[in-house]
Amino acid sequence: MLKKLIDVPRRAVAGIAALLVLAAALLLTVLSEGSVQQPVSASAPGQRFSAERAISHLERFATEPRPLGSPASDRARDYLTRQLRSAGFAVEIQHSVGSRSAAGLATFGRVENVVATLPGRDSTGAVVLAAHYDSAAAGPGASDDGAAVAAMVEVARTLSEKGRLRNDLVLLFTDGEEDGLLGASAFVREHPLARRGGVVLNWEARGVSGPSLMFETSRGNSELVSLFTDAVPHPRGDSSMVEIYRMLPNNSDFTALSQAGFAGLNSAYVEGASRYHTADDSIANLDRGSLQHVGENMLHLSAAFGDADLPGLASGHDATYFRIFGTMITYSDALVWPVAILAVLLVAALVLIARRRRLASVPRILLGAASAVLPLALSALLGQGLWILLVRLRPGYDAMGGLLHRPLAYQAALAVLAGLALLGWYLSLRRRLGPAALAIGAMMWPAALGVVCAASAPGASFLFALTAMSGALGVLLALLPVRFAAWPVVAVTLGNLIPTALLPLLARNAFIGMGLALAGVGTACLALFGLTLLPIVELLFPSPARGVGRRVALAVPLTAAVLAVGLVGAGLAVDRFDARHPERTHLAYVLNADTGTAAWVSGEDEPTAWTGKHVNSRDITALPPGYARGRLWTGAAKPMAVAGPEISVQARDGDTRTVHVESRRAASSLTLRVDHQIVEVTAAIPGATPVTLAVTGTRANTWPAEIRFRDLPPGGVDITLRTPGADRVRITAVDETSGLADAPGFQPRPPGVVASTREDGDLVAVARTYEI
């Protein structure tokens, strides 16, 4: 029972032809999924969305960083207010204190949300368009989230000119998203519109290019997805993204709004992520086609939801949705289990037919399935191993988190490594178990994954269930007695079209979304795709009884290994840091006001040439107590003549203390490090309602607790903290100002070097420690 699953005359030619057909299908899939809209000029009719008109808004507010509380943020707020009022919207500024808790961390900040409303003519509820107008401190945020903000202004103008929608339209421009969804949290806690609920359409960006992907929904999304696929001319995204995002710790303003009861959709473009949260998130690097896609989707969805019966969109179940060769497919989650079970039954039928035709025995098939874990696991290990090697060869990659500027050669190397793992496994077992047993056993993996996902992540089950179903059906059809010599390879090739449209795209999304720091995930997906190709690949080999010969058995893997090494070398040559593709660096100036000593501090794994001009040691003894987080590099710095932040005790009740903290140098941000765990924190400033947060867990690699206040008022803030069982606590207060230009001895970054995305970099930090 060492037979091929299918065989045809001139099988090598037939196998090559089949692989070329699948390569063409793969190319079509990548091109269709990666394409974006052509930008529409400013001279286009007013009822159309124009990226060029939206760019004119970006040029007014997204040319410089606008972090929470900055003058640039104030200018953006004022510009948005003027534009929306001129478009006929009623505009208010919500002044509040936003808050968010994480493990051992409580974050607060003064926020100013811009809320614009246009009442509906016969409203069934509110449709909320949401985006944040603040940016990361490191860059102007033209994409994150300036593009969506500019698109909302342009959509507001277009919709107001068309006349009122049926439903109320609310444009929510949140503040402080980059510091922890602070504006969104304040909106859902205090604003009357939040208590009404409705549908929210949130818009984000995690790169500077690519199509706008609808990647997250509220639960019970069936009717929302149906409206989305009907209303949007060029929908992108699929339900597997929804399931994956629900499992991740990532969040956006949509998180706060959906948890408050809003139904809705969340969209973002994610390509070009090497520029995310850096100085290169600029108008010059923004893909105008991406902006056009965002704006068109926003305009069509606003109109569709604006005229819908919003209560009628409620649903008790989710939908599966995805695209195949440019066509959007949707079906209810009620079909997820039937599809997964059908895939298992088709694979089981193939096992029985193969046994009856003496192509493979059941024990051999089961051994083939069990052994297939080896290439999947080896592919993942090789992918992660390559990333470790790349960081050793080019330490600057570490600060990029795997989101490289030009990763194509490395991605090709990962594909070759997946092929190498598959070939090593296949050639080792081909004569022992037989090609048919290995191919059928391999099909059990996507069938099993389809069932696992049906139970745990229904929206992702289609990726594997349809792969197994289509592959098994193709082979079953190939085994029919058809009087056409090439029929078996035609049937198997047709059966492989679905896997070709699904699995490589899954790997591509993993590489784009997670970066090469988690390269093993995408590489394993490629290996899984390779398993589906075994019946076709087998056509390239001679009869199993003859074997492939020792030379071929050695030459094929050796060639793949040489090719992988060559691609890595090409990647290192192509993906060099330069002015257009800069290296990330992390540096802060820290003054210990208790001792009067100052230090340069960097969290880089290995200092870059520029950072090395400031730091040269691992010695952290000069740093304020509790300041260090993780392993740091330090270097001596000239002290500045400034006063440290001041803490005064206002009250104590058992293990609860109230302290007043202010910056005597009028710093914009404040961080408190506490040497005991905190379970509750309240922040109070004049003119705002005090905000209380429950805190669980502790901070890693530093003191157990941390409290932050962004956009600190000139008079400071009252902080009440509860530290169970602590009679005395030490608190290190750190006030922070953005930018290093005023730090003595600072050497400006040369071209090709930008600040990293760590929130504690590019700061002048002055610290003083108190025992209370």
Side-chain angles (χ1 to χ4, degrees), residues 675-744:
D675 70 345
H676 285 73
Q677 183 179 4
I678 57 176
V679 296
E680 187 177 86
V681 183
T682 299
I685 61 173
T689 303
V691 179
T692 299
L693 281 177
V695 181
T696 59
T698 59
R699 299 287 280 163
N701 302 316
T702 185
W703 277 4
E706 185 173 331
I707 303 167
R708 300 174 183 172
F709 199 102
R710 302 308 187 220
D711 192 20
L712 185 68
V717 58
D718 288 336
I719 298 290
T720 301
L721 62 157
R722 184 179 166 214
T723 53
D727 182 58
R728 301 182 70 83
V729 298
R730 281 198 301 168
I731 301 176
T732 293
V734 187
D735 64 16
E736 304 157 339
T737 51
S738 296
L740 294 170
D742 295 333

Side-chain angles (χ1 to χ4, degrees), residues 300-312:
H300 285 90
L301 287 174
S302 299
F305 281 104
D307 286 330
D309 175 21
L310 297 185

Side-chain angles (χ1 to χ4, degrees), residues 108-183:
F108 304 90
R110 291 193 296 171
V111 296
E112 296 180 318
N113 295 328
V114 180
V115 185
T117 57
L118 190 67
R121 62 180 188 272
D122 185 20
S123 181
T124 67
V127 177
V128 180
L129 303 185
H132 64 91
Y133 73 90
D134 65 311
S135 78
S143 282
D144 180 26
D145 199 17
V149 170
M152 282 170 62
V153 174
E154 177 66 9
V155 165
R157 179 199 58 78
T158 304
L159 292 176
S160 65
E161 290 180 0
K162 288 183 176 180
R164 292 187 176 184
L165 299 168
R166 176 187 182 183
N167 295 316
D168 300 334
L169 181 64
V170 178
L171 273 57
L172 173 61
F173 300 87
T174 61
D175 195 9
E177 190 270 354
E178 299 292 1
D179 289 293
L181 320 182
L182 300 183

Side-chain angles (χ1 to χ4, degrees), residues 8 69-70 85 96 202 224 242 314 344 457 502 536 544 564 613 639 650 688:
V8 292
S70 64
R85 283 176 176 155
S96 185
N202 192 65
L224 300 175
V242 177
V344 171
L502 295 178
I536 294 174
K613 296 178 180 180
Q650 304 294 301

Side-chain angles (χ1 to χ4, degrees), residues 354-370:
R355 178 182 178 279
R356 179 172 296 179
R357 294 195 177 192
R358 301 184 62 78
L359 297 175
S361 67
V362 172
R364 288 177 185 269
I365 291 172
L366 294 177
L367 283 173

Side-chain angles (χ1 to χ4, degrees), residues 165-548:
L165 299 168
R166 176 187 182 183
N167 295 316
D168 300 334
L169 181 64
V170 178
L171 273 57
L172 173 61
F173 300 87
T174 61
D175 195 9
E177 190 270 354
E178 299 292 1
D179 289 293
L181 320 182
L182 300 183
S185 74
F187 177 79
V188 300
R189 188 183 68 242
E190 296 180 0
H191 203 284
L193 286 173
R195 289 190 285 274
R196 288 180 56 194
V199 170
V200 61
L201 305 173
N202 192 65
W203 307 88
E204 266 287 358
R206 194 173 174 268
V208 297
S209 62
S212 181
L213 307 173
M214 199 275 279
F215 69 95
E216 185 183 13
T217 73
S218 53
R219 296 190 181 274
N221 65 26
S222 179
E223 294 299 323
L224 300 175
V225 168
S226 177
L227 191 148
F228 167 77
T229 57
D230 289 341
V232 173
H234 307 284
R236 294 291 190 278
D238 64 64
S239 53
S240 71
M241 296 179 181
V242 177
E243 296 289 2
I244 292 170
Y245 201 80
R246 286 174 179 174
M247 298 177 185
L248 296 176
N250 306 51
N251 50 58
S252 67
D253 281 344
F254 185 81
T255 308
L257 293 165
S258 61
Q259 288 176 351
F262 282 87
L265 312 174
N266 199 7
S267 301
Y269 53 87
V270 299
E271 297 184 27
S274 63
R275 305 186 189 280
Y276 175 65
H277 278 187
T278 72
D280 276 354
D281 184 2
S282 62
I283 295 175
N285 289 321
L286 168 62
D287 188 324
R288 270 58 172 174
S290 298
L291 176 56
Q292 184 67 36
H293 195 211
V294 169
E296 286 192 3
N297 285 7
M298 188 183 295
L299 181 60
H300 285 90
L301 287 174
S302 299
F305 281 104
D307 286 330
D309 175 21
L310 297 185
L313 297 177
S315 173
H317 58 90
D318 283 346
T320 293
Y321 67 98
F322 56 93
R323 277 164 51 98
I324 290 285
F325 303 122
T327 300
M328 183 63 80
I329 308 295
T330 63
Y331 56 83
S332 167
D333 62 359
L335 293 177
V336 168
W337 272 108
V339 169
I341 292 171
L342 180 58
V344 171
L345 293 176
L346 286 172
V347 173
L350 182 56
V351 171
L352 295 177
I353 291 175
R355 178 182 178 279
R356 179 172 296 179
R357 294 195 177 192
R358 301 184 62 78
L359 297 175
S361 67
V362 172
R364 288 177 185 269
I365 291 172
L366 294 177
L367 283 173
S371 68
V373 72
L374 296 175
L376 295 174
L378 182 58
S379 295
L381 290 174
L382 288 173
Q384 291 305 127
L386 177 58
W387 173 245
I388 294 171
L389 175 64
L390 291 176
V391 171
R392 288 187 177 274
L393 295 173
R394 188 159 290 166
Y397 279 168
D398 183 62
M400 303 189 74
L403 301 172
L404 308 185
H405 292 299
R406 290 161 289 193
L408 186 59
Y410 299 136
Q411 292 170 358
L414 291 167
V416 172
L417 289 175
L420 179 61
L422 283 166
L423 284 171
W425 164 76
Y426 191 66
L427 294 177
S428 299
L429 296 179
R430 180 173 174 267
R431 293 189 67 186
R432 290 179 173 84
L433 299 180
L438 291 174
I440 297 172
M443 287 185 191
M444 292 182 175
W445 275 90
L449 289 172
V451 171
V452 170
C453 286
S456 59
S461 180
F462 76 93
L463 289 166
F464 311 109
L466 293 182
T467 288
M469 179 189 300
S470 180
L473 186 59
V475 175
L476 288 170
L477 292 174
L479 297 178
L480 293 176
V482 177
R483 291 188 175 182
F484 174 41
W487 169 247
V489 73
V490 171
V492 170
T493 303
L494 291 174
N496 266 91
L497 287 177
I498 299 299
T500 300
L502 295 178
L503 296 183
L505 192 62
L506 176 63
R508 179 177 182 270
N509 290 340
F511 288 143
I512 291 174
M514 301 180 186
L516 297 190
L518 292 174
V521 176
T523 312
C525 292
L526 290 175
L528 183 63
F529 171 58
L531 290 176
T532 70
L533 299 178
L534 291 181
I536 294 174
V537 172
E538 174 59 28
L539 295 174
L540 306 179
F541 295 121
S543 167
R546 288 176 50 198
V548 296

